[in-house]
Amino acid sequence: MTTQPSPIHRKARQVKRKHWALIAAATVLPLAVSTGTAVAETPSTGTAAGAACTYTPAVPADNFKGIPVFDAKRAAKPYSATLRTSQGAITFQALTDKAPCTTFSFRFLAEHDYYDRSHCHRLTTQRIFVLQCGDPTGTGSGGPGYSFPDENLEGATYPAGTVAMANAGPNTNGSQFFFVWKDTKLSPAYTPFGRITAGLDVLQKIAAAGEDDQNNPGDGYPNLFVKIRDVRIAKR
């Protein structure tokens, strides 16, 4: 492919010992999440940046911590998040002004310990350059029990240091996200919601160690195990 790679969707995987087999058929390195069908319940809604912020109940609901109730006043407050991982700390500034629904959801999950003791399940080292995390099942198909719409896509780019949502198609965001460790060309389909302020060197160390997929080189489980010990939110 001469221009840009296939979209990033949360790709479903199965693990047997340390080997990951691709379930979802794809061409080149989609960053995907396999999700189930939304259940029929009343969503919680709010308004941010002139648009509705809606969290719709959905399956799967792994490590379920509940569904956030959007608070526009709290959503507007800036914060940074530090992920303490087994390979070092990564800190990013949340783009609360550009992606309030997304950053509100991330803070909700972090404050409810959703990400604690999970691990990053996917590293890409060819054509797109990301470390994908946020699935407590470690399979690439897990979710928090709700979904919400895309944001901040107009003119979106993905330089090194970007933090963005993985998805299973338009408006299917959940808990999975990715760190961009090297400038990457992607279609503007993945909500950017943070900028790394410290720890890019940690990501580059993880990337340098490579991934273990022999059948699809450049896209697999990171050779350096990346466990998220906890996520700490700091007000700015």
Side-chain angles (χ1 to χ4, degrees), residues 84-87 117-120 225-230:
R84 297 197 311 153
T85 83
S86 54
Q87 300 300 329
R117 296 173 296 281
S118 66
H119 65 270
C120 299
F225 182 68
V226 187
K227 179 180 181 179
I228 298 174
R229 291 172 175 152
D230 58 36

Side-chain angles (χ1 to χ4, degrees), residues 29-30 42 55 64 78 117 140 151 154-155 164 168 180-181 202 212 231 234:
L29 306 178
T42 303
Y55 302 105
F64 184 69
R117 296 173 296 281
E151 297 178 287
E154 186 174 356
V180 181
W181 57 268
V202 173
D212 72 351
V231 181

Side-chain angles (χ1 to χ4, degrees), residues 99-225:
C101 188
T102 307
T103 54
F104 189 85
S105 171
F106 185 91
R107 177 164 52 189
F108 171 85
L109 294 174
E111 291 178 342
H112 286 77
D113 304 326
Y114 180 89
Y115 296 118
D116 291 7
R117 296 173 296 281
S118 66
H119 65 270
C120 299
H121 62 276
R122 187 181 186 196
L123 174 69
T124 62
T125 59
Q126 293 182 17
R127 305 180 79 169
I128 61 176
F129 309 102
V130 307
L131 178 69
Q132 191 168 332
C133 314
D135 174 9
T137 72
T139 65
S141 60
Y146 62 87
S147 62
F148 57 91
D150 300 321
E151 297 178 287
N152 194 29
L153 294 185
E154 186 174 356
T157 59
Y158 304 87
T162 299
V163 187
M165 294 300 296
N167 61 52
N171 303 312
T172 59
N173 301 290
S175 61
Q176 291 191 45
F177 61 93
F178 59 91
F179 296 113
V180 181
W181 57 268
K182 180 179 178 181
D183 291 357
T184 293
K185 291 184 178 180
L186 290 168
S187 61
Y190 314 97
T191 296
F193 70 96
R195 290 291 303 164
I196 293 173
T197 56
L200 186 58
D201 58 330
V202 173
L203 292 172
Q204 292 168 343
K205 175 184 71 172
I206 295 165
E211 45 72 33
D212 72 351
D213 196 327
Q214 301 300 315
N215 296 321
N216 187 29
D219 182 9
Y221 190 92
N223 286 326
L224 287 181
F225 182 68

